[in-house]
Amino acid sequence: MLLAKDFSGASSSLVSHNFDLWYKIWKAPCLPRCNDLVWQACRDIIPARTRLCYRGTLSDLICPLCGSDDETTTYALLPCPKVIPIWFVSPMVVCISPSNTVSFATWLHSTFLMSDNFDAGHVFELIQAIWDHRND
């Protein structure tokens, strides 16, 4: 009974939203490691500097690529000034705002909704390439 109550009412749209997003992530035509990274980014569990500082592994929150802001999951993959040009020159039509204040999961979900021909496989591979570059 409690389980049914937790998934009723207002929270049912959140559960539906998450299920739809998770389904699209895992069904995207790309390497499994790309699907996994995007799933981790949506859950905000990739080892960005803010997460590592929270765990006590690092003491410096600042993005190592640009040196201008705290490195969160969203910042590392989207609005970092060193990452925006990568999105700009990619063949995919993806809008990244330097003042992005939404979570990575919210950005990804709205990107899925706004584009009829969203090529998730290529976007996920680009996200993987950005993450790999940050960690070289």
Side-chain angles (χ1 to χ4, degrees), residues 95-108:
C95 179
I96 305 294
S97 168
S99 60
N100 183 22
T101 58
V102 300
S103 71
F104 181 82
T106 302
W107 171 83
L108 184 62

Side-chain angles (χ1 to χ4, degrees), residues 22 36-55 61-65 69-80 83 87 96 100-108 127-128 130-131 134-135:
W22 299 152
D36 190 52
L37 177 68
V38 170
W39 177 80
Q40 288 178 16
C42 286
R43 302 211 15 127
D44 197 19
I45 59 173
I46 65 171
R49 287 183 168 260
T50 52
R51 187 136 182 93
L52 294 173
C53 286
Y54 175 75
R55 290 183 176 175
L61 295 169
I62 302 300
C63 173
L65 291 182
D69 210 341
D70 291 352
E71 184 191 55
T72 63
T73 297
T74 302
Y75 188 81
L77 299 173
L78 300 174
C80 173
V83 173
W87 287 104
I96 305 294
N100 183 22
T101 58
V102 300
S103 71
F104 181 82
T106 302
W107 171 83
L108 184 62
I127 291 167
Q128 183 71 54
I130 290 168
W131 184 250
R134 294 187 78 85
N135 294 292

